[in-house]
Amino acid sequence: MKRKKTLNMMSEEDFLFTFQHGDYKFVFEYDTPDEFREYLSELKDTVKELEAEKSYKRVQQIFKKEEQIEGEIKKGERPANKENFTFYDLETKFIVGKKKLEKVSASTYKAYEATFTKLKDFFKYERIENLNIEDFERFRDYLSTQVVNKTVNNHMAYVKMFVKWGNDRKLYPENNVQGVENLADSSPEIPHVNYTDKEIRNILEFEEFEQCYKDTFLIATRTGMRVNEICNIKNDDIKQDEETNIYYFDIKKSKTNAGVRQVPIHKDILERVLEIDFPLFPEKTDNASQKAILRQLYRVVKQGEGKFFHTFRGTFMNRCLKNYPRDLPIIQEIVGHEKEDKIKLSVDTYAKGYQLSLKKEILDSVSYY
């Protein structure tokens, strides 16, 4: 009887629930709170399915694009197309060739794209085999009207890489860019200077940083890891050695073979690292994360004084060498630097790297307080 009175006091709209998700609109009617909760549960599952479907469609689009690129490559292998090989053709073939190796970062692909865009804008559909050294010098001088000489030289280094890559694969008979000289770099060289202990403390104690940036700098100063390595840490990469019980970062992907390594977690940051839900920047690409980190760093560090995120690596190595001057090869393994060939053969090939306990002893000695 009480429920009937209540129902009489309410309009039909009070028992209707409406929810819109993208192109879909859901409307349902309910009589009881339990029925309402049941509908919500079903709605949640439906939304998940719709999101999954959208993700699947995005993946399908990517695969379709890859198939198109592969098709273009196969076409490009035909003699008729070789005779008309342009920078449009070279870009397609070069990028897919690099992707198959899976050794190139997203930021490097972006740099490739920037240089190819300038090449296509300047040479249009001109055949690469028709270009001589004077043509490439004209391209270099054209770039110098847009950007500083150092950037021009960076673009030209990529151009030489692209053209050589195609020439090695017999896509055109000559490599006429190799003899193009670099422009004089008029920008003053900024010497790299390691951080002082006080500067490290200022960075680590800066209260206005969001937690993800605090954690990034904390890990960098205690491991010497590269910024992209830190950005790519996942929860599964935090492991514990069964024999020694030492926790470590298991870095499986890096810009070099030496970068694939096990880095012990510093005693001062272990408790914090075990609390973090990795990755630190789940919503950002590698490139976006690195730019954001650098912007935050420059809130504390003055730009133009030769100090960057990469400076953390040099500072960390400096502290390790100061405490363990005879153990450079072990320190190189910690930070992912290539060792000398003789040591590399003995340690990496036969011993499969240095023991975690040795690396941890050196790493734990680093302090900025």
PDB file of all heavy atoms in Angstrom, residues 2 25 34 53 82 90 106 118 121 123 133 145 149 154 160 174 176 186-187 192 228 259 268 274 281 298 300:
ATOM      1  N   LYS A   2       1.927   1.202   0.835  1.00  0.00           N
ATOM      2  CA  LYS A   2       2.846   2.350   0.903  1.00  0.00           C
ATOM      3  C   LYS A   2       3.514   2.585  -0.439  1.00  0.00           C
ATOM      4  O   LYS A   2       3.675   3.709  -0.890  1.00  0.00           O
ATOM      5  CB  LYS A   2       3.899   2.081   1.981  1.00  0.00           C
ATOM      6  CG  LYS A   2       4.857   3.235   2.191  1.00  0.00           C
ATOM      7  CD  LYS A   2       5.827   2.902   3.296  1.00  0.00           C
ATOM      8  CE  LYS A   2       6.812   4.031   3.475  1.00  0.00           C
ATOM      9  NZ  LYS A   2       7.808   3.735   4.524  1.00  0.00           N
ATOM     10  N   LYS A  25      22.169   5.043 -27.635  1.00  0.00           N
ATOM     11  CA  LYS A  25      21.363   5.620 -26.566  1.00  0.00           C
ATOM     12  C   LYS A  25      20.582   4.489 -25.890  1.00  0.00           C
ATOM     13  O   LYS A  25      19.900   3.712 -26.538  1.00  0.00           O
ATOM     14  CB  LYS A  25      20.394   6.674 -27.117  1.00  0.00           C
ATOM     15  CG  LYS A  25      19.656   7.427 -26.028  1.00  0.00           C
ATOM     16  CD  LYS A  25      18.815   8.555 -26.625  1.00  0.00           C
ATOM     17  CE  LYS A  25      18.135   9.359 -25.522  1.00  0.00           C
ATOM     18  NZ  LYS A  25      17.328  10.469 -26.075  1.00  0.00           N
ATOM     19  N   ASP A  34      16.521  -2.874  -6.892  1.00  0.00           N
ATOM     20  CA  ASP A  34      17.272  -4.066  -7.325  1.00  0.00           C
ATOM     21  C   ASP A  34      17.235  -4.207  -8.842  1.00  0.00           C
ATOM     22  O   ASP A  34      18.243  -4.566  -9.478  1.00  0.00           O
ATOM     23  CB  ASP A  34      16.675  -5.327  -6.686  1.00  0.00           C
ATOM     24  CG  ASP A  34      17.005  -5.409  -5.203  1.00  0.00           C
ATOM     25  OD1 ASP A  34      17.966  -4.726  -4.783  1.00  0.00           O
ATOM     26  OD2 ASP A  34      16.303  -6.133  -4.482  1.00  0.00           O
ATOM     27  N   GLU A  53      34.728  -3.397 -29.145  1.00  0.00           N
ATOM     28  CA  GLU A  53      34.465  -3.406 -30.582  1.00  0.00           C
ATOM     29  C   GLU A  53      35.163  -2.236 -31.270  1.00  0.00           C
ATOM     30  O   GLU A  53      35.753  -2.387 -32.338  1.00  0.00           O
ATOM     31  CB  GLU A  53      32.958  -3.330 -30.830  1.00  0.00           C
ATOM     32  CG  GLU A  53      32.573  -3.440 -32.306  1.00  0.00           C
ATOM     33  CD  GLU A  53      31.075  -3.362 -32.519  1.00  0.00           C
ATOM     34  OE1 GLU A  53      30.334  -3.428 -31.525  1.00  0.00           O
ATOM     35  OE2 GLU A  53      30.664  -3.221 -33.676  1.00  0.00           O
ATOM     36  N   LYS A  82      60.646   0.679 -60.432  1.00  0.00           N
ATOM     37  CA  LYS A  82      62.002   1.065 -60.053  1.00  0.00           C
ATOM     38  C   LYS A  82      62.468   2.255 -60.882  1.00  0.00           C
ATOM     39  O   LYS A  82      63.194   3.115 -60.408  1.00  0.00           O
ATOM     40  CB  LYS A  82      62.966  -0.107 -60.247  1.00  0.00           C
ATOM     41  CG  LYS A  82      62.971  -1.098 -59.110  1.00  0.00           C
ATOM     42  CD  LYS A  82      64.105  -2.079 -59.309  1.00  0.00           C
ATOM     43  CE  LYS A  82      64.132  -3.101 -58.201  1.00  0.00           C
ATOM     44  NZ  LYS A  82      65.222  -4.057 -58.374  1.00  0.00           N
ATOM     45  N   LEU A  90      60.353   5.567 -51.561  1.00  0.00           N
ATOM     46  CA  LEU A  90      61.421   5.215 -50.630  1.00  0.00           C
ATOM     47  C   LEU A  90      60.921   5.250 -49.186  1.00  0.00           C
ATOM     48  O   LEU A  90      61.271   4.378 -48.378  1.00  0.00           O
ATOM     49  CB  LEU A  90      62.604   6.177 -50.794  1.00  0.00           C
ATOM     50  CG  LEU A  90      63.816   5.883 -49.900  1.00  0.00           C
ATOM     51  CD1 LEU A  90      64.375   4.491 -50.176  1.00  0.00           C
ATOM     52  CD2 LEU A  90      64.905   6.944 -50.095  1.00  0.00           C
ATOM     53  N   ALA A 106      59.264   5.396 -31.238  1.00  0.00           N
ATOM     54  CA  ALA A 106      58.241   6.238 -31.866  1.00  0.00           C
ATOM     55  C   ALA A 106      58.789   7.620 -32.201  1.00  0.00           C
ATOM     56  O   ALA A 106      58.458   8.201 -33.239  1.00  0.00           O
ATOM     57  CB  ALA A 106      57.036   6.358 -30.941  1.00  0.00           C
ATOM     58  N   LYS A 118      59.910  16.910 -45.831  1.00  0.00           N
ATOM     59  CA  LYS A 118      60.664  17.993 -46.468  1.00  0.00           C
ATOM     60  C   LYS A 118      61.212  17.554 -47.827  1.00  0.00           C
ATOM     61  O   LYS A 118      61.225  18.338 -48.785  1.00  0.00           O
ATOM     62  CB  LYS A 118      61.783  18.463 -45.544  1.00  0.00           C
ATOM     63  CG  LYS A 118      61.263  19.153 -44.272  1.00  0.00           C
ATOM     64  CD  LYS A 118      62.381  19.718 -43.430  1.00  0.00           C
ATOM     65  CE  LYS A 118      61.806  20.404 -42.190  1.00  0.00           C
ATOM     66  NZ  LYS A 118      60.924  21.546 -42.525  1.00  0.00           N
ATOM     67  N   ASP A 121      58.265  17.553 -50.243  1.00  0.00           N
ATOM     68  CA  ASP A 121      57.844  18.925 -50.571  1.00  0.00           C
ATOM     69  C   ASP A 121      58.800  19.570 -51.568  1.00  0.00           C
ATOM     70  O   ASP A 121      58.384  20.312 -52.461  1.00  0.00           O
ATOM     71  CB  ASP A 121      57.781  19.781 -49.306  1.00  0.00           C
ATOM     72  CG  ASP A 121      56.597  19.425 -48.426  1.00  0.00           C
ATOM     73  OD1 ASP A 121      55.687  18.732 -48.923  1.00  0.00           O
ATOM     74  OD2 ASP A 121      56.590  19.823 -47.243  1.00  0.00           O
ATOM     75  N   PHE A 123      61.330  17.901 -53.641  1.00  0.00           N
ATOM     76  CA  PHE A 123      61.598  17.179 -54.892  1.00  0.00           C
ATOM     77  C   PHE A 123      60.335  16.681 -55.600  1.00  0.00           C
ATOM     78  O   PHE A 123      60.419  16.221 -56.748  1.00  0.00           O
ATOM     79  CB  PHE A 123      62.527  15.984 -54.623  1.00  0.00           C
ATOM     80  CG  PHE A 123      63.939  16.377 -54.289  1.00  0.00           C
ATOM     81  CD1 PHE A 123      64.476  16.121 -53.032  1.00  0.00           C
ATOM     82  CD2 PHE A 123      64.736  17.018 -55.225  1.00  0.00           C
ATOM     83  CE1 PHE A 123      65.782  16.487 -52.719  1.00  0.00           C
ATOM     84  CE2 PHE A 123      66.054  17.389 -54.930  1.00  0.00           C
ATOM     85  CZ  PHE A 123      66.572  17.120 -53.661  1.00  0.00           C
ATOM     86  N   ILE A 133      74.552  15.562 -56.953  1.00  0.00           N
ATOM     87  CA  ILE A 133      75.000  16.184 -55.710  1.00  0.00           C
ATOM     88  C   ILE A 133      74.549  17.641 -55.618  1.00  0.00           C
ATOM     89  O   ILE A 133      74.224  18.130 -54.532  1.00  0.00           O
ATOM     90  CB  ILE A 133      76.539  16.059 -55.556  1.00  0.00           C
ATOM     91  CG1 ILE A 133      76.954  16.498 -54.152  1.00  0.00           C
ATOM     92  CG2 ILE A 133      77.270  16.845 -56.630  1.00  0.00           C
ATOM     93  CD1 ILE A 133      78.398  16.167 -53.830  1.00  0.00           C
ATOM     94  N   THR A 145      67.235  28.010 -44.948  1.00  0.00           N
ATOM     95  CA  THR A 145      66.401  29.220 -44.881  1.00  0.00           C
ATOM     96  C   THR A 145      65.248  29.044 -43.891  1.00  0.00           C
ATOM     97  O   THR A 145      64.537  30.003 -43.591  1.00  0.00           O
ATOM     98  CB  THR A 145      65.802  29.546 -46.271  1.00  0.00           C
ATOM     99  OG1 THR A 145      64.903  28.487 -46.666  1.00  0.00           O
ATOM    100  CG2 THR A 145      66.899  29.689 -47.306  1.00  0.00           C
ATOM    101  N   ASN A 149      71.489  25.775 -38.681  1.00  0.00           N
ATOM    102  CA  ASN A 149      72.397  24.849 -39.359  1.00  0.00           C
ATOM    103  C   ASN A 149      72.488  23.484 -38.687  1.00  0.00           C
ATOM    104  O   ASN A 149      72.616  22.453 -39.364  1.00  0.00           O
ATOM    105  CB  ASN A 149      73.794  25.463 -39.449  1.00  0.00           C
ATOM    106  CG  ASN A 149      73.838  26.607 -40.450  1.00  0.00           C
ATOM    107  OD1 ASN A 149      72.832  26.930 -41.090  1.00  0.00           O
ATOM    108  ND2 ASN A 149      74.995  27.230 -40.589  1.00  0.00           N
ATOM    109  N   ASN A 154      71.218  17.671 -39.133  1.00  0.00           N
ATOM    110  CA  ASN A 154      70.499  16.489 -38.650  1.00  0.00           C
ATOM    111  C   ASN A 154      69.615  15.910 -39.741  1.00  0.00           C
ATOM    112  O   ASN A 154      69.557  14.692 -39.946  1.00  0.00           O
ATOM    113  CB  ASN A 154      69.642  16.852 -37.429  1.00  0.00           C
ATOM    114  CG  ASN A 154      70.481  17.138 -36.195  1.00  0.00           C
ATOM    115  OD1 ASN A 154      71.629  16.717 -36.109  1.00  0.00           O
ATOM    116  ND2 ASN A 154      69.919  17.852 -35.243  1.00  0.00           N
ATOM    117  N   LYS A 160      71.039  11.088 -46.009  1.00  0.00           N
ATOM    118  CA  LYS A 160      72.120  10.191 -46.414  1.00  0.00           C
ATOM    119  C   LYS A 160      71.810   8.742 -46.028  1.00  0.00           C
ATOM    120  O   LYS A 160      72.103   7.800 -46.773  1.00  0.00           O
ATOM    121  CB  LYS A 160      73.431  10.645 -45.779  1.00  0.00           C
ATOM    122  CG  LYS A 160      73.950  11.962 -46.360  1.00  0.00           C
ATOM    123  CD  LYS A 160      75.209  12.443 -45.653  1.00  0.00           C
ATOM    124  CE  LYS A 160      75.677  13.769 -46.248  1.00  0.00           C
ATOM    125  NZ  LYS A 160      76.883  14.302 -45.589  1.00  0.00           N
ATOM    126  N   GLU A 174      72.699   4.996 -58.229  1.00  0.00           N
ATOM    127  CA  GLU A 174      73.729   5.864 -57.642  1.00  0.00           C
ATOM    128  C   GLU A 174      73.311   6.386 -56.262  1.00  0.00           C
ATOM    129  O   GLU A 174      72.123   6.482 -55.950  1.00  0.00           O
ATOM    130  CB  GLU A 174      74.000   7.068 -58.562  1.00  0.00           C
ATOM    131  CG  GLU A 174      74.475   6.698 -59.961  1.00  0.00           C
ATOM    132  CD  GLU A 174      75.859   6.081 -59.972  1.00  0.00           C
ATOM    133  OE1 GLU A 174      76.613   6.313 -59.013  1.00  0.00           O
ATOM    134  OE2 GLU A 174      76.182   5.386 -60.956  1.00  0.00           O
ATOM    135  N   ASN A 176      74.068   9.779 -54.740  1.00  0.00           N
ATOM    136  CA  ASN A 176      74.682  11.070 -55.038  1.00  0.00           C
ATOM    137  C   ASN A 176      74.576  12.084 -53.903  1.00  0.00           C
ATOM    138  O   ASN A 176      74.892  13.266 -54.096  1.00  0.00           O
ATOM    139  CB  ASN A 176      74.036  11.668 -56.295  1.00  0.00           C
ATOM    140  CG  ASN A 176      74.411  10.893 -57.532  1.00  0.00           C
ATOM    141  OD1 ASN A 176      75.549  10.426 -57.665  1.00  0.00           O
ATOM    142  ND2 ASN A 176      73.465  10.713 -58.449  1.00  0.00           N
ATOM    143  N   SER A 186      76.806  27.215 -36.289  1.00  0.00           N
ATOM    144  CA  SER A 186      77.104  28.512 -35.684  1.00  0.00           C
ATOM    145  C   SER A 186      76.597  28.632 -34.251  1.00  0.00           C
ATOM    146  O   SER A 186      76.965  29.554 -33.527  1.00  0.00           O
ATOM    147  CB  SER A 186      76.470  29.636 -36.518  1.00  0.00           C
ATOM    148  OG  SER A 186      75.083  29.417 -36.655  1.00  0.00           O
ATOM    149  N   SER A 187      75.734  27.682 -33.830  1.00  0.00           N
ATOM    150  CA  SER A 187      75.199  27.774 -32.467  1.00  0.00           C
ATOM    151  C   SER A 187      76.272  27.372 -31.466  1.00  0.00           C
ATOM    152  O   SER A 187      76.996  26.404 -31.673  1.00  0.00           O
ATOM    153  CB  SER A 187      73.978  26.874 -32.316  1.00  0.00           C
ATOM    154  OG  SER A 187      74.322  25.536 -32.619  1.00  0.00           O
ATOM    155  N   HIS A 192      78.141  19.668 -21.418  1.00  0.00           N
ATOM    156  CA  HIS A 192      77.328  18.887 -20.487  1.00  0.00           C
ATOM    157  C   HIS A 192      77.984  18.922 -19.114  1.00  0.00           C
ATOM    158  O   HIS A 192      79.161  18.625 -18.969  1.00  0.00           O
ATOM    159  CB  HIS A 192      77.210  17.445 -20.980  1.00  0.00           C
ATOM    160  CG  HIS A 192      76.285  17.314 -22.142  1.00  0.00           C
ATOM    161  ND1 HIS A 192      75.398  16.273 -22.275  1.00  0.00           N
ATOM    162  CD2 HIS A 192      76.066  18.106 -23.216  1.00  0.00           C
ATOM    163  CE1 HIS A 192      74.690  16.414 -23.382  1.00  0.00           C
ATOM    164  NE2 HIS A 192      75.089  17.523 -23.969  1.00  0.00           N
ATOM    165  N   ASN A 228      63.200   6.873 -21.769  1.00  0.00           N
ATOM    166  CA  ASN A 228      62.239   5.979 -22.423  1.00  0.00           C
ATOM    167  C   ASN A 228      62.145   4.639 -21.710  1.00  0.00           C
ATOM    168  O   ASN A 228      61.091   3.990 -21.698  1.00  0.00           O
ATOM    169  CB  ASN A 228      62.599   5.774 -23.903  1.00  0.00           C
ATOM    170  CG  ASN A 228      63.911   5.034 -24.082  1.00  0.00           C
ATOM    171  OD1 ASN A 228      64.953   5.463 -23.587  1.00  0.00           O
ATOM    172  ND2 ASN A 228      63.889   3.930 -24.790  1.00  0.00           N
ATOM    173  N   GLY A 259      71.433  -2.294 -23.668  1.00  0.00           N
ATOM    174  CA  GLY A 259      70.379  -1.723 -22.840  1.00  0.00           C
ATOM    175  C   GLY A 259      69.427  -2.760 -22.279  1.00  0.00           C
ATOM    176  O   GLY A 259      68.709  -2.493 -21.309  1.00  0.00           O
ATOM    177  N   ASP A 268      67.132   2.794  -1.276  1.00  0.00           N
ATOM    178  CA  ASP A 268      66.411   3.980  -0.818  1.00  0.00           C
ATOM    179  C   ASP A 268      65.052   4.162  -1.496  1.00  0.00           C
ATOM    180  O   ASP A 268      64.215   4.925  -0.998  1.00  0.00           O
ATOM    181  CB  ASP A 268      67.248   5.244  -1.060  1.00  0.00           C
ATOM    182  CG  ASP A 268      68.480   5.296  -0.168  1.00  0.00           C
ATOM    183  OD1 ASP A 268      68.542   4.490   0.793  1.00  0.00           O
ATOM    184  OD2 ASP A 268      69.374   6.123  -0.427  1.00  0.00           O
ATOM    185  N   LEU A 274      57.780  -0.451  -5.116  1.00  0.00           N
ATOM    186  CA  LEU A 274      56.833  -1.554  -4.948  1.00  0.00           C
ATOM    187  C   LEU A 274      55.400  -1.058  -4.768  1.00  0.00           C
ATOM    188  O   LEU A 274      54.449  -1.829  -4.932  1.00  0.00           O
ATOM    189  CB  LEU A 274      57.237  -2.420  -3.751  1.00  0.00           C
ATOM    190  CG  LEU A 274      58.571  -3.170  -3.897  1.00  0.00           C
ATOM    191  CD1 LEU A 274      58.870  -3.977  -2.643  1.00  0.00           C
ATOM    192  CD2 LEU A 274      58.555  -4.081  -5.117  1.00  0.00           C
ATOM    193  N   PHE A 281      53.010   6.802 -17.086  1.00  0.00           N
ATOM    194  CA  PHE A 281      52.236   7.698 -17.959  1.00  0.00           C
ATOM    195  C   PHE A 281      51.371   6.878 -18.915  1.00  0.00           C
ATOM    196  O   PHE A 281      51.636   6.819 -20.119  1.00  0.00           O
ATOM    197  CB  PHE A 281      53.186   8.623 -18.743  1.00  0.00           C
ATOM    198  CG  PHE A 281      54.113   9.402 -17.868  1.00  0.00           C
ATOM    199  CD1 PHE A 281      55.387   8.921 -17.583  1.00  0.00           C
ATOM    200  CD2 PHE A 281      53.726  10.614 -17.312  1.00  0.00           C
ATOM    201  CE1 PHE A 281      56.253   9.636 -16.759  1.00  0.00           C
ATOM    202  CE2 PHE A 281      54.582  11.329 -16.494  1.00  0.00           C
ATOM    203  CZ  PHE A 281      55.848  10.838 -16.212  1.00  0.00           C
ATOM    204  N   TYR A 298      62.503  21.505 -16.225  1.00  0.00           N
ATOM    205  CA  TYR A 298      62.934  22.896 -16.396  1.00  0.00           C
ATOM    206  C   TYR A 298      62.179  23.870 -15.489  1.00  0.00           C
ATOM    207  O   TYR A 298      62.409  25.078 -15.538  1.00  0.00           O
ATOM    208  CB  TYR A 298      62.808  23.305 -17.861  1.00  0.00           C
ATOM    209  CG  TYR A 298      63.891  22.697 -18.732  1.00  0.00           C
ATOM    210  CD1 TYR A 298      63.622  22.274 -20.036  1.00  0.00           C
ATOM    211  CD2 TYR A 298      65.184  22.530 -18.247  1.00  0.00           C
ATOM    212  CE1 TYR A 298      64.620  21.706 -20.822  1.00  0.00           C
ATOM    213  CE2 TYR A 298      66.178  21.971 -19.023  1.00  0.00           C
ATOM    214  CZ  TYR A 298      65.892  21.560 -20.309  1.00  0.00           C
ATOM    215  OH  TYR A 298      66.884  21.003 -21.077  1.00  0.00           O
ATOM    216  N   VAL A 300      62.663  23.470 -12.386  1.00  0.00           N
ATOM    217  CA  VAL A 300      63.655  23.519 -11.316  1.00  0.00           C
ATOM    218  C   VAL A 300      65.050  23.824 -11.863  1.00  0.00           C
ATOM    219  O   VAL A 300      65.821  24.574 -11.275  1.00  0.00           O
ATOM    220  CB  VAL A 300      63.690  22.179 -10.543  1.00  0.00           C
ATOM    221  CG1 VAL A 300      64.668  22.260  -9.377  1.00  0.00           C
ATOM    222  CG2 VAL A 300      62.303  21.811 -10.047  1.00  0.00           C
TER     223      VAL A 300
END
